[in-house]
PDB file of all heavy atoms in Angstrom:
ATOM      1  N   PHE A1169     114.309  85.263 104.378  1.00 98.00           N
ATOM      2  CA  PHE A1169     115.679  85.628 104.092  1.00 98.00           C
ATOM      3  C   PHE A1169     116.370  86.126 105.335  1.00 98.00           C
ATOM      4  O   PHE A1169     115.715  86.814 106.123  1.00 98.00           O
ATOM      5  CB  PHE A1169     115.729  86.735 103.013  1.00 98.00           C
ATOM      6  CG  PHE A1169     115.110  86.378 101.700  1.00 98.00           C
ATOM      7  CD1 PHE A1169     113.869  86.966 101.336  1.00 98.00           C
ATOM      8  CD2 PHE A1169     115.691  85.464 100.861  1.00 98.00           C
ATOM      9  CE1 PHE A1169     113.293  86.648 100.120  1.00 98.00           C
ATOM     10  CE2 PHE A1169     115.101  85.134  99.655  1.00 98.00           C
ATOM     11  CZ  PHE A1169     113.906  85.748  99.272  1.00 98.00           C
ATOM     12  N   ARG A1170     117.619  85.824 105.450  1.00 96.00           N
ATOM     13  CA  ARG A1170     118.430  86.400 106.505  1.00 96.00           C
ATOM     14  C   ARG A1170     119.757  86.880 105.850  1.00 96.00           C
ATOM     15  O   ARG A1170     120.435  86.064 105.177  1.00 96.00           O
ATOM     16  CB  ARG A1170     118.768  85.363 107.595  1.00 96.00           C
ATOM     17  CG  ARG A1170     119.588  85.957 108.689  1.00 96.00           C
ATOM     18  CD  ARG A1170     119.663  85.023 109.883  1.00 96.00           C
ATOM     19  NE  ARG A1170     120.088  85.730 111.088  1.00 96.00           N
ATOM     20  CZ  ARG A1170     120.026  85.273 112.293  1.00 96.00           C
ATOM     21  NH1 ARG A1170     119.498  84.054 112.512  1.00 96.00           N
ATOM     22  NH2 ARG A1170     120.443  85.979 113.301  1.00 96.00           N
ATOM     23  N   ILE A1171     120.122  88.087 106.122  1.00 97.00           N
ATOM     24  CA  ILE A1171     121.316  88.674 105.526  1.00 97.00           C
ATOM     25  C   ILE A1171     122.372  88.854 106.599  1.00 97.00           C
ATOM     26  O   ILE A1171     122.202  89.669 107.498  1.00 97.00           O
ATOM     27  CB  ILE A1171     121.044  90.031 104.830  1.00 97.00           C
ATOM     28  CG1 ILE A1171     119.719  89.975 104.024  1.00 97.00           C
ATOM     29  CG2 ILE A1171     122.222  90.413 103.977  1.00 97.00           C
ATOM     30  CD1 ILE A1171     119.685  88.963 102.930  1.00 97.00           C
ATOM     31  N   ARG A1172     123.449  88.053 106.505  1.00 95.00           N
ATOM     32  CA  ARG A1172     124.552  88.190 107.491  1.00 95.00           C
ATOM     33  C   ARG A1172     125.638  89.063 106.914  1.00 95.00           C
ATOM     34  O   ARG A1172     126.179  88.775 105.859  1.00 95.00           O
ATOM     35  CB  ARG A1172     125.067  86.798 107.882  1.00 95.00           C
ATOM     36  CG  ARG A1172     123.962  85.866 108.343  1.00 95.00           C
ATOM     37  CD  ARG A1172     124.529  84.673 109.041  1.00 95.00           C
ATOM     38  NE  ARG A1172     123.636  83.502 108.904  1.00 95.00           N
ATOM     39  CZ  ARG A1172     123.824  82.382 109.532  1.00 95.00           C
ATOM     40  NH1 ARG A1172     124.858  82.223 110.364  1.00 95.00           N
ATOM     41  NH2 ARG A1172     122.996  81.374 109.347  1.00 95.00           N
ATOM     42  N   SER A1173     125.934  90.132 107.628  1.00 96.00           N
ATOM     43  CA  SER A1173     126.856  91.139 107.178  1.00 96.00           C
ATOM     44  C   SER A1173     127.455  91.812 108.388  1.00 96.00           C
ATOM     45  O   SER A1173     127.235  91.372 109.533  1.00 96.00           O
ATOM     46  CB  SER A1173     126.156  92.151 106.284  1.00 96.00           C
ATOM     47  OG  SER A1173     125.249  92.928 107.061  1.00 96.00           O
ATOM     48  N   THR A1174     128.177  92.914 108.205  1.00 95.00           N
ATOM     49  CA  THR A1174     128.664  93.644 109.349  1.00 95.00           C
ATOM     50  C   THR A1174     127.549  94.256 110.177  1.00 95.00           C
ATOM     51  O   THR A1174     127.739  94.592 111.306  1.00 95.00           O
ATOM     52  CB  THR A1174     129.603  94.812 108.877  1.00 95.00           C
ATOM     53  OG1 THR A1174     128.899  95.667 107.950  1.00 95.00           O
ATOM     54  CG2 THR A1174     130.837  94.269 108.221  1.00 95.00           C
ATOM     55  N   TYR A1175     126.349  94.351 109.592  1.00 94.00           N
ATOM     56  CA  TYR A1175     125.221  94.819 110.358  1.00 94.00           C
ATOM     57  C   TYR A1175     124.671  93.766 111.324  1.00 94.00           C
ATOM     58  O   TYR A1175     124.052  94.090 112.332  1.00 94.00           O
ATOM     59  CB  TYR A1175     124.095  95.270 109.423  1.00 94.00           C
ATOM     60  CG  TYR A1175     124.417  96.525 108.674  1.00 94.00           C
ATOM     61  CD1 TYR A1175     124.619  96.459 107.271  1.00 94.00           C
ATOM     62  CD2 TYR A1175     124.521  97.736 109.307  1.00 94.00           C
ATOM     63  CE1 TYR A1175     124.930  97.623 106.570  1.00 94.00           C
ATOM     64  CE2 TYR A1175     124.804  98.906 108.602  1.00 94.00           C
ATOM     65  CZ  TYR A1175     125.043  98.851 107.237  1.00 94.00           C
ATOM     66  OH  TYR A1175     125.327  99.976 106.517  1.00 94.00           O
ATOM     67  N   SER A1176     124.892  92.506 111.014  1.00 91.00           N
ATOM     68  CA  SER A1176     124.429  91.422 111.875  1.00 91.00           C
ATOM     69  C   SER A1176     125.072  90.139 111.428  1.00 91.00           C
ATOM     70  O   SER A1176     124.884  89.690 110.315  1.00 91.00           O
ATOM     71  CB  SER A1176     122.910  91.245 111.821  1.00 91.00           C
ATOM     72  OG  SER A1176     122.506  90.144 112.609  1.00 91.00           O
ATOM     73  N   THR A1177     125.865  89.523 112.322  1.00 87.00           N
ATOM     74  CA  THR A1177     126.540  88.259 111.987  1.00 87.00           C
ATOM     75  C   THR A1177     126.033  87.123 112.844  1.00 87.00           C
ATOM     76  O   THR A1177     126.513  86.014 112.683  1.00 87.00           O
ATOM     77  CB  THR A1177     128.078  88.420 112.174  1.00 87.00           C
ATOM     78  OG1 THR A1177     128.350  88.720 113.565  1.00 87.00           O
ATOM     79  CG2 THR A1177     128.631  89.482 111.262  1.00 87.00           C
ATOM     80  N   ALA A1178     125.146  87.366 113.742  1.00 84.00           N
ATOM     81  CA  ALA A1178     124.664  86.372 114.685  1.00 84.00           C
ATOM     82  C   ALA A1178     123.973  85.193 113.981  1.00 84.00           C
ATOM     83  O   ALA A1178     123.337  85.372 112.945  1.00 84.00           O
ATOM     84  CB  ALA A1178     123.748  86.976 115.754  1.00 84.00           C
ATOM     85  N   SER A1179     124.123  83.961 114.541  1.00 83.00           N
ATOM     86  CA  SER A1179     123.427  82.826 113.989  1.00 83.00           C
ATOM     87  C   SER A1179     122.366  82.236 114.928  1.00 83.00           C
ATOM     88  O   SER A1179     121.843  81.204 114.669  1.00 83.00           O
ATOM     89  CB  SER A1179     124.467  81.728 113.647  1.00 83.00           C
ATOM     90  OG  SER A1179     125.153  81.334 114.818  1.00 83.00           O
ATOM     91  N   SER A1180     122.091  82.959 116.001  1.00 84.00           N
ATOM     92  CA  SER A1180     121.117  82.510 117.003  1.00 84.00           C
ATOM     93  C   SER A1180     119.772  82.276 116.287  1.00 84.00           C
ATOM     94  O   SER A1180     119.354  83.097 115.501  1.00 84.00           O
ATOM     95  CB  SER A1180     120.995  83.475 118.145  1.00 84.00           C
ATOM     96  OG  SER A1180     119.875  83.166 118.931  1.00 84.00           O
ATOM     97  N   THR A1181     119.064  81.213 116.724  1.00 83.00           N
ATOM     98  CA  THR A1181     117.740  80.989 116.156  1.00 83.00           C
ATOM     99  C   THR A1181     116.730  81.952 116.692  1.00 83.00           C
ATOM    100  O   THR A1181     115.554  81.955 116.264  1.00 83.00           O
ATOM    101  CB  THR A1181     117.306  79.546 116.416  1.00 83.00           C
ATOM    102  OG1 THR A1181     117.307  79.341 117.840  1.00 83.00           O
ATOM    103  CG2 THR A1181     118.211  78.570 115.751  1.00 83.00           C
ATOM    104  N   SER A1182     117.048  82.744 117.712  1.00 82.00           N
ATOM    105  CA  SER A1182     116.109  83.695 118.288  1.00 82.00           C
ATOM    106  C   SER A1182     116.443  85.178 117.958  1.00 82.00           C
ATOM    107  O   SER A1182     115.761  86.081 118.317  1.00 82.00           O
ATOM    108  CB  SER A1182     115.989  83.548 119.790  1.00 82.00           C
ATOM    109  OG  SER A1182     117.194  83.790 120.404  1.00 82.00           O
ATOM    110  N   ASP A1183     117.580  85.332 117.237  1.00 84.00           N
ATOM    111  CA  ASP A1183     117.984  86.698 116.884  1.00 84.00           C
ATOM    112  C   ASP A1183     117.370  87.087 115.533  1.00 84.00           C
ATOM    113  O   ASP A1183     117.801  86.515 114.509  1.00 84.00           O
ATOM    114  CB  ASP A1183     119.531  86.740 116.833  1.00 84.00           C
ATOM    115  CG  ASP A1183     119.995  88.118 116.245  1.00 84.00           C
ATOM    116  OD1 ASP A1183     119.257  89.095 116.370  1.00 84.00           O
ATOM    117  OD2 ASP A1183     121.134  88.104 115.691  1.00 84.00           O
ATOM    118  N   GLY A1184     116.425  87.958 115.504  1.00 84.00           N
ATOM    119  CA  GLY A1184     115.721  88.304 114.284  1.00 84.00           C
ATOM    120  C   GLY A1184     116.271  89.476 113.497  1.00 84.00           C
ATOM    121  O   GLY A1184     115.611  89.970 112.611  1.00 84.00           O
ATOM    122  N   THR A1185     117.491  89.911 113.864  1.00 88.00           N
ATOM    123  CA  THR A1185     118.003  91.086 113.129  1.00 88.00           C
ATOM    124  C   THR A1185     118.336  90.758 111.683  1.00 88.00           C
ATOM    125  O   THR A1185     118.776  89.644 111.354  1.00 88.00           O
ATOM    126  CB  THR A1185     119.250  91.636 113.801  1.00 88.00           C
ATOM    127  OG1 THR A1185     120.283  90.596 113.867  1.00 88.00           O
ATOM    128  CG2 THR A1185     118.970  92.111 115.234  1.00 88.00           C
ATOM    129  N   ASN A1186     118.121  91.713 110.813  1.00 94.00           N
ATOM    130  CA  ASN A1186     118.407  91.617 109.396  1.00 94.00           C
ATOM    131  C   ASN A1186     117.741  90.358 108.740  1.00 94.00           C
ATOM    132  O   ASN A1186     118.373  89.652 107.957  1.00 94.00           O
ATOM    133  CB  ASN A1186     119.931  91.684 109.130  1.00 94.00           C
ATOM    134  CG  ASN A1186     120.423  93.103 109.274  1.00 94.00           C
ATOM    135  OD1 ASN A1186     120.294  93.909 108.343  1.00 94.00           O
ATOM    136  ND2 ASN A1186     120.910  93.453 110.452  1.00 94.00           N
ATOM    137  N   THR A1187     116.521  90.107 109.140  1.00 96.00           N
ATOM    138  CA  THR A1187     115.727  89.074 108.527  1.00 96.00           C
ATOM    139  C   THR A1187     114.483  89.719 107.893  1.00 96.00           C
ATOM    140  O   THR A1187     113.991  90.735 108.410  1.00 96.00           O
ATOM    141  CB  THR A1187     115.245  88.005 109.544  1.00 96.00           C
ATOM    142  OG1 THR A1187     114.389  88.563 110.494  1.00 96.00           O
ATOM    143  CG2 THR A1187     116.436  87.347 110.230  1.00 96.00           C
ATOM    144  N   THR A1188     113.979  89.145 106.827  1.00 97.00           N
ATOM    145  CA  THR A1188     112.751  89.629 106.255  1.00 97.00           C
ATOM    146  C   THR A1188     112.075  88.485 105.511  1.00 97.00           C
ATOM    147  O   THR A1188     112.604  87.345 105.465  1.00 97.00           O
ATOM    148  CB  THR A1188     113.025  90.793 105.325  1.00 97.00           C
ATOM    149  OG1 THR A1188     111.761  91.516 105.049  1.00 97.00           O
ATOM    150  CG2 THR A1188     113.673  90.406 104.007  1.00 97.00           C
ATOM    151  N   GLN A1189     110.908  88.755 104.950  1.00 98.00           N
ATOM    152  CA  GLN A1189     110.163  87.761 104.245  1.00 98.00           C
ATOM    153  C   GLN A1189     109.625  88.341 102.935  1.00 98.00           C
ATOM    154  O   GLN A1189     109.316  89.518 102.891  1.00 98.00           O
ATOM    155  CB  GLN A1189     109.003  87.222 105.092  1.00 98.00           C
ATOM    156  CG  GLN A1189     109.441  86.581 106.380  1.00 98.00           C
ATOM    157  CD  GLN A1189     108.330  86.086 107.258  1.00 98.00           C
ATOM    158  OE1 GLN A1189     107.223  85.832 106.773  1.00 98.00           O
ATOM    159  NE2 GLN A1189     108.578  85.936 108.570  1.00 98.00           N
ATOM    160  N   ALA A1190     109.579  87.498 101.918  1.00 98.00           N
ATOM    161  CA  ALA A1190     109.035  87.909 100.606  1.00 98.00           C
ATOM    162  C   ALA A1190     107.627  87.212 100.457  1.00 98.00           C
ATOM    163  O   ALA A1190     107.381  86.140 100.992  1.00 98.00           O
ATOM    164  CB  ALA A1190     109.952  87.507  99.502  1.00 98.00           C
ATOM    165  N   PHE A1191     106.782  87.883  99.652  1.00 98.00           N
ATOM    166  CA  PHE A1191     105.428  87.439  99.499  1.00 98.00           C
ATOM    167  C   PHE A1191     105.029  87.347  98.044  1.00 98.00           C
ATOM    168  O   PHE A1191     105.798  87.736  97.157  1.00 98.00           O
ATOM    169  CB  PHE A1191     104.469  88.394 100.265  1.00 98.00           C
ATOM    170  CG  PHE A1191     104.839  88.504 101.723  1.00 98.00           C
ATOM    171  CD1 PHE A1191     105.665  89.523 102.162  1.00 98.00           C
ATOM    172  CD2 PHE A1191     104.331  87.609 102.627  1.00 98.00           C
ATOM    173  CE1 PHE A1191     105.964  89.645 103.514  1.00 98.00           C
ATOM    174  CE2 PHE A1191     104.638  87.711 103.972  1.00 98.00           C
ATOM    175  CZ  PHE A1191     105.489  88.719 104.431  1.00 98.00           C
ATOM    176  N   PHE A1192     103.790  86.899  97.803  1.00 98.00           N
ATOM    177  CA  PHE A1192     103.309  86.738  96.417  1.00 98.00           C
ATOM    178  C   PHE A1192     101.951  87.425  96.314  1.00 98.00           C
ATOM    179  O   PHE A1192     101.212  87.637  97.261  1.00 98.00           O
ATOM    180  CB  PHE A1192     103.094  85.235  96.094  1.00 98.00           C
ATOM    181  CG  PHE A1192     104.364  84.466  96.099  1.00 98.00           C
ATOM    182  CD1 PHE A1192     104.945  84.012  97.299  1.00 98.00           C
ATOM    183  CD2 PHE A1192     105.035  84.167  94.904  1.00 98.00           C
ATOM    184  CE1 PHE A1192     106.134  83.275  97.284  1.00 98.00           C
ATOM    185  CE2 PHE A1192     106.189  83.447  94.889  1.00 98.00           C
ATOM    186  CZ  PHE A1192     106.771  83.018  96.074  1.00 98.00           C
ATOM    187  N   ASP A1193     101.610  87.863  95.051  1.00 98.00           N
ATOM    188  CA  ASP A1193     100.352  88.462  94.798  1.00 98.00           C
ATOM    189  C   ASP A1193      99.228  87.592  95.250  1.00 98.00           C
ATOM    190  O   ASP A1193      99.240  86.375  95.026  1.00 98.00           O
ATOM    191  CB  ASP A1193     100.262  88.766  93.306  1.00 98.00           C
ATOM    192  CG  ASP A1193      98.920  89.333  92.911  1.00 98.00           C
ATOM    193  OD1 ASP A1193      98.730  90.532  93.049  1.00 98.00           O
ATOM    194  OD2 ASP A1193      98.043  88.535  92.443  1.00 98.00           O
ATOM    195  N   GLN A1194      98.219  88.169  95.871  1.00 98.00           N
ATOM    196  CA  GLN A1194      97.100  87.411  96.443  1.00 98.00           C
ATOM    197  C   GLN A1194      96.328  86.635  95.377  1.00 98.00           C
ATOM    198  O   GLN A1194      95.992  85.447  95.583  1.00 98.00           O
ATOM    199  CB  GLN A1194      96.126  88.333  97.160  1.00 98.00           C
ATOM    200  CG  GLN A1194      95.068  87.595  97.977  1.00 98.00           C
ATOM    201  CD  GLN A1194      95.595  86.749  99.068  1.00 98.00           C
ATOM    202  OE1 GLN A1194      96.320  87.253  99.950  1.00 98.00           O
ATOM    203  NE2 GLN A1194      95.304  85.486  99.111  1.00 98.00           N
ATOM    204  N   THR A1195      96.077  87.220  94.248  1.00 97.00           N
ATOM    205  CA  THR A1195      95.328  86.531  93.210  1.00 97.00           C
ATOM    206  C   THR A1195      96.140  85.321  92.698  1.00 97.00           C
ATOM    207  O   THR A1195      95.534  84.256  92.444  1.00 97.00           O
ATOM    208  CB  THR A1195      95.043  87.491  92.015  1.00 97.00           C
ATOM    209  OG1 THR A1195      94.239  88.575  92.500  1.00 97.00           O
ATOM    210  CG2 THR A1195      94.274  86.772  90.901  1.00 97.00           C
ATOM    211  N   PHE A1196      97.412  85.531  92.601  1.00 98.00           N
ATOM    212  CA  PHE A1196      98.283  84.414  92.156  1.00 98.00           C
ATOM    213  C   PHE A1196      98.226  83.218  93.098  1.00 98.00           C
ATOM    214  O   PHE A1196      98.005  82.070  92.624  1.00 98.00           O
ATOM    215  CB  PHE A1196      99.733  84.937  92.037  1.00 98.00           C
ATOM    216  CG  PHE A1196     100.743  83.853  91.750  1.00 98.00           C
ATOM    217  CD1 PHE A1196     100.810  83.288  90.460  1.00 98.00           C
ATOM    218  CD2 PHE A1196     101.670  83.489  92.702  1.00 98.00           C
ATOM    219  CE1 PHE A1196     101.744  82.305  90.170  1.00 98.00           C
ATOM    220  CE2 PHE A1196     102.629  82.532  92.393  1.00 98.00           C
ATOM    221  CZ  PHE A1196     102.677  81.947  91.159  1.00 98.00           C
ATOM    222  N   ILE A1197      98.376  83.417  94.367  1.00 98.00           N
ATOM    223  CA  ILE A1197      98.403  82.271  95.295  1.00 98.00           C
ATOM    224  C   ILE A1197      96.982  81.680  95.461  1.00 98.00           C
ATOM    225  O   ILE A1197      96.864  80.463  95.658  1.00 98.00           O
ATOM    226  CB  ILE A1197      99.031  82.646  96.642  1.00 98.00           C
ATOM    227  CG1 ILE A1197      98.321  83.863  97.296  1.00 98.00           C
ATOM    228  CG2 ILE A1197     100.534  82.893  96.499  1.00 98.00           C
ATOM    229  CD1 ILE A1197      98.936  84.246  98.646  1.00 98.00           C
ATOM    230  N   ASP A1198      95.957  82.501  95.310  1.00 97.00           N
ATOM    231  CA  ASP A1198      94.601  81.937  95.371  1.00 97.00           C
ATOM    232  C   ASP A1198      94.374  81.026  94.158  1.00 97.00           C
ATOM    233  O   ASP A1198      93.698  79.980  94.296  1.00 97.00           O
ATOM    234  CB  ASP A1198      93.580  83.061  95.329  1.00 97.00           C
ATOM    235  CG  ASP A1198      93.476  83.832  96.693  1.00 97.00           C
ATOM    236  OD1 ASP A1198      94.002  83.250  97.688  1.00 97.00           O
ATOM    237  OD2 ASP A1198      92.861  84.911  96.710  1.00 97.00           O
TER     238      ASP A1198
END
């Protein structure tokens, strides 16, 4: 996920501000 807002509006592919990742339960993906 990348959230573009007043905190970060950049679109550079190397600018990692205001980005995060979501995950899944280990048993579920196994």
Side-chain angles (χ1 to χ4, degrees):
F1169 300 108
R1170 181 170 198 167
I1171 316 300
R1172 305 196 208 188
S1173 68
T1174 56
Y1175 290 111
S1176 175
T1177 59
S1179 61
S1180 167
T1181 57
S1182 63
D1183 171 27
T1185 59
N1186 285 278
T1187 65
T1188 196
Q1189 300 179 23
F1191 303 93
F1192 296 81
D1193 175 83
Q1194 187 65 56
T1195 301
F1196 173 71
I1197 55 179
D1198 286 347

